[in-house]
Amino acid sequence: NVGKSTLLNNVIGEKISIVTHKKQTTRSTLKGVYVCKNTQIIFLDTPGLFNPKRFIDKIMVKTAWKSSSKSSVICFLYDCTKHIIDGYTLKTLEELKGNHAPTVLILNKIDLVNKKKLLPLIHNFEKIFKFEETFMVSALDGSGTELLLNYLIKKMPEGPFLYDQNDLTDTPKRQIASEILREKLFINMHDEIPYNLVVETESWKEKINTSIEIYQNIYVTKKSHKGMIIGHSGKNIKMVGILARKDMENLFGKKVHLYIKVKVRENCLQDAKLLESTGLDTSA
């Protein structure tokens, strides 16, 4: 997930998509708006494609496919440090053959691979799928993105801008606040916990003195997870809250007063209404 979210943030020039070192971090499609002269590109940062088992996982994968079906160009981002194309990647490419939008292959993390090793990988991909173009980038440092952007600019259909020229995203601030807190939980909690929680921004209050009061709930499936998130004497939740608040203040440009509660709700990962409130498209 570091790849596509980092790439989007790099292109847009602001951190609008959360980034962690763990897989399946992105749960809902997030739009990033890029403008260059008279061209506007709307990037859709979708959930990653994987073999889903739980209700929430199935929603995530369906959301990714739904977004791809509406796209003018599909960017298939692949971690080029993985030299062997696995079975699920083959299955995904087979399904993509039914999509009529031009598809490009983007090999990410080229800064970590010997360039000579990329040629056999590209050749193997070309035998599997007819990509319109292949790009080699490093989402981390931005190298290679200029060629990709130049290509995408040429592929955009003619028409009026869909968003204001100064907009970076159409994602509601409440949802972005939820995602920021969820990012901090992903980074700082043990492996199992972040995948079994939902973050909801319950209340957002703009104060006259230009500060914001944000009240958030962290729903977990197990009582033991609640204890681990709170930590001894509240140490963990305090640390996570401080990190989230700082990111919110940087992004929203205002002082933030953040209030967090951790609640146990066993069915939080199956609660369609709760998931929809966090930005997931349960109708996907």
Side-chain angles (χ1 to χ4, degrees):
N1 190 65
V2 171
K4 59 188 178 58
S5 297
T6 303
L7 180 62
L8 175 62
N9 292 337
N10 198 309
V11 168
I12 302 302
E14 290 281 353
K15 183 179 177 181
I16 60 171
S17 187
I18 68 174
V19 177
T20 83
H21 59 288
K22 297 176 181 177
K23 295 179 180 179
Q24 286 97 57
T25 301
T26 304
R27 285 183 173 175
S28 57
T29 298
L30 188 147
K31 293 178 183 175
V33 182
Y34 170 84
V35 176
C36 180
K37 297 180 181 177
N38 63 343
T39 302
Q40 185 176 72
I41 303 174
I42 314 302
F43 287 92
L44 304 179
D45 181 13
T46 70
L49 294 172
F50 60 102
N51 195 14
K53 293 181 174 64
R54 305 177 303 171
F55 175 70
I56 189 172
D57 298 336
K58 290 174 182 177
I59 291 173
M60 289 160 58
V61 172
K62 285 181 180 178
T63 297
W65 281 113
K66 185 177 180 179
S67 297
S68 69
S69 68
K70 299 177 181 178
S71 301
S72 301
V73 179
I74 296 173
C75 296
F76 189 83
L77 192 72
Y78 188 81
D79 180 350
C80 69
T81 63
K82 299 175 182 176
H83 304 301
I84 299 174
I85 303 170
D86 63 26
Y88 193 78
T89 301
L90 292 172
K91 180 185 175 184
T92 301
L93 290 173
E94 194 61 38
E95 290 189 46
L96 270 177
K97 289 178 181 179
N99 198 308
H100 299 297
T103 302
V104 299
L105 173 64
I106 303 175
L107 297 177
N108 185 33
K109 300 186 181 179
I110 59 166
D111 50 315
L112 302 178
V113 176
N114 186 314
K115 303 300 182 290
K116 292 180 181 178
K117 292 184 178 180
L118 291 176
L119 292 176
L121 181 62
I122 293 170
H123 182 64
N124 287 336
F125 267 116
E126 287 175 344
K127 287 191 293 184
I128 299 165
F129 190 90
K130 188 173 177 60
F131 291 99
E132 186 163 288
E133 293 284 349
T134 297
F135 297 94
M136 292 176 281
V137 308
S138 169
L140 200 59
D141 64 22
S143 59
T145 55
E146 187 175 348
L147 287 174
L148 172 63
L149 287 170
N150 289 339
Y151 165 84
L152 292 174
I153 287 169
K154 293 174 184 175
K155 300 298 289 187
M156 290 301 100
E158 289 189 13
F161 278 11
L162 298 177
Y163 296 95
D164 185 273
Q165 190 151 349
N166 297 318
D167 287 349
L168 297 177
T169 182
D170 70 343
T171 305
K173 290 181 179 179
R174 292 170 68 115
Q175 185 182 331
I176 293 176
S178 296
E179 288 291 274
I180 289 172
L181 178 56
R182 195 165 65 84
E183 177 193 62
K184 304 311 174 190
L185 291 164
F186 251 92
I187 293 171
N188 293 285
M189 293 288 103
H190 296 297
D191 288 345
E192 179 190 358
I193 298 174
Y195 295 101
N196 291 286
L197 61 78
V198 176
V199 177
E200 171 197 45
T201 298
E202 182 180 36
S203 175
W204 174 292
K205 298 177 181 177
E206 299 268 357
K207 310 300 285 186
I208 297 175
N209 63 357
T210 70
S211 66
I212 311 168
E213 281 186 4
I214 301 175
Y215 293 81
Q216 295 184 311
N217 295 321
I218 302 170
Y219 293 101
V220 292
T221 56
K222 299 178 182 178
K223 189 175 180 180
S224 59
H225 287 178
K226 176 180 178 179
M228 284 186 272
I229 289 175
I230 293 173
H232 180 66
S233 301
K235 184 179 179 181
N236 287 346
I237 195 65
K238 183 179 180 181
M239 172 194 66
V240 167
I242 290 171
L243 293 171
R245 178 177 54 78
K246 286 180 178 178
D247 266 20
M248 291 177 196
E249 288 180 338
N250 287 336
L251 189 59
F252 303 139
K254 294 182 179 181
K255 184 173 179 60
V256 171
H257 302 282
L258 183 59
Y259 304 91
I260 303 170
K261 290 182 180 178
V262 186
K263 302 180 179 182
V264 178
R265 187 185 290 187
E266 291 181 5
N267 72 331
C268 65
L269 298 177
Q270 290 86 37
D271 187 332
K273 190 174 180 180
L274 175 62
L275 295 176
E276 285 173 4
S277 74
T278 66
L280 268 79
D281 181 5
T282 58
S283 66

